[in-house]
Amino acid sequence: SSIHEEGDYNIWLKAVKEIRATKRFEPLMFMAASFASPLLELLGVQSFALDLWGNTEGGKTVTLHLAASIWADPHEGKFIGNFQSTEVAYEIKQGFLNNLPLMIDDSSNIKDRDKFNYSTFIYNRCNEKGKSRSNISRGIEVENTWRHIILMTGEQPFMKDNAQGGAINRTLELCCGAEAIYKDPSGLAD
């Protein structure tokens, strides 16, 4: 229900052009990744994650909302998810999105951060296929598949020093600069 056209395209386009003119790396990368996500399968490129991290009030969430606005309703609880989802919920959502980007806001909300396996999370999100499951009549359920870019935000880099090489190779990390990305983030969000 969040994937639909809404609002005034010309107002959106004007705002995007103004953001692009600032040449800030963060929104340019997130918009490019959002647009590029459907191309991964056509080009035979593997799924990967793009993590934008930095100080609070830097504009990370607004940047994620901007990238979401390309495809869907960027408001809270709509197209953008959070790190509170279960493994099965992620798999179903990724199967539904297929080639559209998966967007997850604020990794600081991960429960029990000391026990959370960051490498496994990235492997599972970039695996491009869910688990095989049987159904009540001893048949096999249709497996969820996807190939897309995962856009994430947080206050710290998502990958930890002890992460496995494969997970590190599937994650691009962008650090927000010291200055806020947007002069009027709430106005842009509106």
Side-chain angles (χ1 to χ4, degrees), residues 6-190:
E6 186 172 323
D8 187 314
Y9 173 72
N10 292 320
I11 292 172
W12 179 87
L13 186 61
K14 180 178 182 279
V16 168
K17 284 182 177 181
E18 288 172 5
I19 292 165
R20 289 180 54 79
T22 69
K23 303 210 187 294
R24 280 298 296 252
F25 189 69
E26 304 92 330
L28 294 177
M29 282 293 292
F30 260 49
M31 285 188 295
S34 186
F35 277 119
S37 189
L39 300 175
L40 295 188
E41 190 163 357
L42 293 170
L43 299 173
V45 176
Q46 186 178 20
S47 294
F48 64 92
L50 184 59
D51 176 33
L52 179 61
W53 65 275
N55 295 331
T56 301
E57 303 298 322
K60 301 176 302 290
T61 297
V62 174
T63 301
L64 189 63
H65 284 226
L66 175 65
S69 73
I70 293 167
W71 303 107
D73 185 342
H75 289 98
E76 196 69 33
K78 300 291 184 174
F79 191 74
I80 298 171
N82 60 43
F83 284 90
Q84 301 297 322
S85 295
T86 66
E87 185 62 34
V88 173
Y90 279 122
E91 182 184 313
I92 291 169
K93 184 171 185 175
Q94 287 185 272
F96 173 78
L97 290 172
N98 195 271
N99 298 125
L100 293 179
L102 174 67
M103 301 190 182
I104 314 170
D105 193 25
D106 201 359
S107 61
S108 65
N109 288 324
I110 293 172
K111 290 182 181 178
D112 207 354
R113 294 178 63 83
D114 294 333
K115 292 182 181 177
F116 186 82
N117 190 321
Y118 294 84
S119 293
T120 299
F121 181 85
I122 292 297
Y123 278 124
N124 289 346
R125 301 293 63 79
C126 296
N127 193 32
E128 300 178 353
K129 177 180 135 353
K131 288 184 178 180
S132 296
R133 293 182 174 87
S134 65
N135 58 30
I136 197 163
S137 49
R138 296 187 180 179
I140 299 292
E141 292 288 331
V142 174
E143 292 179 351
N144 289 305
T145 60
W146 58 85
R147 185 172 292 189
H148 54 210
I149 298 173
I150 298 104
L151 300 173
M152 308 182 301
T153 65
E155 293 181 2
Q156 301 292 322
F158 189 77
M159 297 309 302
K160 302 300 178 199
D161 291 339
N162 63 350
Q164 295 171 321
I168 291 171
N169 292 341
R170 290 173 176 85
T171 308
L172 297 173
E173 293 186 339
L174 302 174
C175 178
C176 285
E179 290 182 25
I181 298 171
Y182 309 101
K183 291 178 182 168
D184 181 17
S186 61
L188 176 60
D190 289 343

